[in-house]
Amino acid sequence: MKHFIAAFLLFFSLTINAQNNPPAEFLVKPYLQLGKKPSPQSLQLLWHVQISNDVWLTEYKNSDEIEWKRSEAPTFKTVAVGTIVPFNVYSTCFTSLKPGTMFQYRVSKNGKIVFNSEAKSLKSPEQSYRIAISGDMGAGNNTARKIAYEIYKTKPDMVTIAGDIVYNRGLISEYTTKYWPVYNKDDADTLGAPMLRSIPFVAAVGNHDALTRDLNAYPDALAYYHFWDQPLNGPESKEGGAYVPTLLGSDANKKAFYDGAGDKYPRMTNFSFDYGNAHWTVIDSNPYVDWNDSTLRDWLIKDLATAAKSTWRFVLYHHPCFNSSRAHYEQQQMRLIAPIMEKGKVDIVFAGHVHNYQRTYPLTFKPDNLGNQLVAGANNIKTGKMVNGRWALDKKFEGKRHTKPNGVIYITTGAGGQGLYNPEQQKDTDSWQRFTTKFVSTVHSFTIMDVNGNTLILRQVDINGKGVDTIKITK
Ligand SMILES: [Fe+2]
């Protein structure tokens, strides 16, 4: 009987969903993005379809409005790389949203509504908000899917991914199987949830998103540039320069990639935006970046200085530099910019890459070398730069009675789906570096951050929805 009721309910929900969103031959159903110039009034909507002469139209209305209004006329870019069947990526902008509220939108093809959804606009500075943060999510396995469901259940206003968006090489074909079906699933269950259509996702690139650069071997690599639409307000960069390696491959394959990526390549890896009362700076932490290059450093210094008006400052990148795990320990290159984080009064740095959860004491750090040399880690592959130095730890802060940190808190939240690293270290506190105060490596987890004015509550939530760490920070 139980099985019969479950089957009936599943059929009923699928029927309802099919009625709401009849098939429209979407290759990828609509998903929200920050767009080039994020604001509480605007959001970008993208979707993928096969190449055709169909006419697409999008409309939306805020919760207190009765009339639908049209968004900007959708534009598209064709992606035609390798053996992937060419397709169009459509894009439009909702420009008159009411900040921080639910709104409705619908997408029409040739005059017929083929998709509709509710969504949430970006918050304005006076509004409170909840953000989910996790790295290393895009494995597409059952663990990543369950984490997606648990994130969905917490009802975040936005999700930020600390890199390794999609395994194993950030390919278009990998997004097809491991990303869209999980985070833009039609209904919510332990296999995924309809998040991409209803809240914005923001991402930093990880090694798995950015290091596959041979377009002869993998013509559909660097899908990040085809699919994401994030601000281009970072420094101008050019291939083969201080922070973008050269692409490999035939001229034809490179041209096909450039045509699809447009002006997003290579600039879209370092950028910033405001959300609520916070400023977010998103950085490419891959070891090919030369942090001794003044252009990128100066941009970062200036970006954080202009963010002084924001109550909170968060930085998102992939490779954690204050990491106690034996895994990836040598990848310390982001220590080089710790003084910039401190001077820019960054509150929290979020990273992934290491597949567990770690929290440092609030700290300041003085590097004593330039970290120029790539060194070998596991498997004898040169993947990181060691940066020694001196740190000062604020051990008084415990996020309960003492809530005003003296220094930057570094969070590693890379337990979003891939196999956990170093579970044996969780209880072995002697194996932790001095800067680590919390280390959870026996269970998958993600971060939830609630910000209300001058108060911030950070919680690490495990795959079963149970809290494994909580701190409060106040201004
Ligand atoms: Fe990684």
Side-chain angles (χ1 to χ4, degrees):
M1 185 64 184
K2 245 172 36 195
H3 293 294
F4 174 76
I5 292 170
F8 175 76
L9 288 175
L10 178 67
F11 174 75
F12 183 70
S13 74
L14 289 175
T15 309
I16 293 286
N17 200 40
Q19 280 167 355
N20 287 342
N21 292 315
E25 292 149 5
F26 285 110
L27 296 173
V28 171
K29 288 184 178 175
Y31 60 100
L32 295 164
Q33 291 281 279
L34 289 180
K36 304 282 182 300
K37 292 187 177 154
S39 87
Q41 286 81 29
S42 72
L43 267 179
Q44 203 76 23
L45 186 76
L46 283 75
W47 63 97
H48 306 173
V49 292
Q50 285 167 344
I51 293 175
S52 75
N53 294 322
D54 294 327
V55 177
W56 293 90
L57 175 80
T58 44
E59 299 165 291
Y60 66 108
K61 61 180 181 183
N62 291 306
S63 53
D64 58 350
E65 293 170 345
I66 294 162
E67 297 289 320
W68 290 91
K69 50 193 174 195
R70 283 190 186 186
S71 67
E72 289 177 349
T75 58
F76 69 88
K77 257 195 177 301
T78 298
V79 177
V81 293
T83 56
I84 304 269
V85 177
F87 59 96
N88 287 339
V89 176
Y90 274 84
S91 179
T92 187
C93 190
F94 303 123
T95 52
S96 304
L97 299 173
K98 209 172 150 194
T101 58
M102 298 301 289
F103 65 98
Q104 284 182 285
Y105 68 87
R106 61 190 189 188
V107 182
S108 304
K109 182 174 99 170
N110 302 326
K112 190 176 164 206
I113 296 165
V114 290
F115 187 86
N116 61 61
S117 181
E118 266 197 327
K120 211 179 275 183
S121 56
L122 305 188
K123 299 277 181 165
S124 57
E126 69 282 359
Q127 294 174 313
S128 59
Y129 51 91
R130 167 171 291 179
I131 295 180
I133 307 120
S134 181
D136 313 74
M137 292 166 79
N141 57 17
N142 284 344
T143 310
R145 286 169 179 267
K146 177 74 164 38
I147 289 280
Y149 181 50
E150 292 299 323
I151 289 175
Y152 172 80
K153 287 202 293 189
T154 67
K155 296 190 170 70
D157 298 306
M158 183 167 81
V159 173
T160 64
I161 302 177
D164 286 359
I165 310 162
V166 169
Y167 290 92
N168 190 36
R169 294 179 178 275
L171 308 178
I172 289 175
S173 53
E174 292 171 327
Y175 271 76
T176 304
T177 53
K178 297 174 184 170
Y179 188 74
W180 308 118
V182 179
Y183 304 102
N184 211 8
K185 192 169 176 291
D186 282 332
D187 40 15
D189 59 23
T190 54
L191 294 177
M195 284 194 280
L196 295 174
R197 66 190 61 181
S198 55
I199 53 171
F201 272 48
V202 179
V205 290
N207 50 311
H208 287 274
D209 308 301
L211 289 184
T212 297
R213 307 181 80 85
D214 181 346
L215 297 177
N216 284 355
Y218 301 98
D220 66 330
L222 299 172
Y224 170 76
Y225 295 99
H226 295 302
F227 295 161
W228 289 77
D229 190 353
Q230 312 201 94
L232 302 180
N233 59 356
E236 295 249 21
S237 49
K238 66 173 195 309
E239 229 183 85
Y243 37 95
V244 188
T246 312
L247 275 186
L248 302 175
S250 66
D251 288 348
N253 283 352
K254 284 190 200 168
K255 182 177 183 311
F257 167 72
Y258 296 142
D259 286 349
D263 58 354
K264 293 185 279 186
Y265 179 79
R267 198 167 181 178
M268 199 174 60
T269 47
N270 298 292
F271 62 89
S272 67
F273 63 97
D274 292 331
Y275 181 96
N277 63 357
H279 182 78
W280 284 81
T281 309
V282 180
I283 306 174
D284 184 352
S285 60
N286 277 295
Y288 54 66
V289 175
D290 177 6
W291 278 105
N292 296 307
D293 175 76
S294 60
T295 312
L296 192 50
R297 290 181 75 94
D298 291 350
W299 172 78
L300 185 56
I301 291 165
K302 209 171 142 198
D303 179 72
L304 292 172
T306 53
K309 62 184 188 310
S310 298
T311 308
W312 301 93
R313 281 167 289 282
F314 306 121
V315 171
L316 180 75
Y317 58 67
H318 185 59
H319 299 70
C321 57
F322 296 107
N323 162 36
S324 273
S325 252
R326 295 182 177 109
H328 300 327
Y329 179 70
E330 80 290 356
Q331 298 179 25
Q332 302 171 350
Q333 59 269 14
M334 297 306 278
R335 288 186 182 185
L336 289 170
I337 60 166
I340 299 178
M341 303 287 107
E342 294 150 24
K343 192 138 192 275
K345 297 199 167 23
V346 170
D347 296 287
I348 306 176
V349 173
F350 295 99
H353 195 45
V354 174
H355 302 163
N356 52 42
Y357 170 71
Q358 299 174 47
R359 172 166 61 83
T360 69
Y361 293 102
L363 64 83
T364 56
F365 179 77
K366 276 193 185 21
D368 63 11
N369 65 317
L370 295 176
N372 273 334
Q373 291 300 316
L374 272 174
V375 295
N379 307 323
N380 218 20
I381 300 168
K382 291 188 174 179
T383 47
K385 298 167 182 172
M386 296 280 272
V387 181
N388 296 321
R390 297 184 68 81
W391 52 76
L393 307 175
D394 173 11
K395 290 200 170 178
K396 214 172 146 198
F397 172 90
E398 25 68 316
K400 290 181 175 61
R401 278 173 304 115
H402 298 284
T403 58
K404 293 188 192 305
N406 182 16
V408 180
I409 295 173
Y410 289 81
I411 300 287
T412 302
T413 181
Q418 280 289 46
L420 293 166
Y421 286 171
N422 304 114
E424 78 284 0
Q425 282 186 262
Q426 179 168 315
K427 283 194 175 155
D428 181 11
T429 51
D430 287 347
S431 74
W432 304 0
Q433 300 296 313
R434 280 181 46 230
F435 47 71
T436 298
T437 180
K438 188 80 187 180
F439 192 117
V440 179
S441 57
T442 57
V443 65
H444 287 87
S445 63
F446 57 94
T447 307
I448 289 291
M449 185 167 70
D450 287 304
V451 179
N452 189 350
N454 288 338
T455 302
L456 182 158
I457 310 270
L458 183 143
R459 280 183 300 136
Q460 193 68 14
V461 180
D462 77 10
I463 191 165
N464 300 309
K466 187 173 151 258
V468 292
D469 190 27
T470 304
I471 54 166
K472 179 175 169 182
I473 308 175
T474 56
K475 291 277 175 182

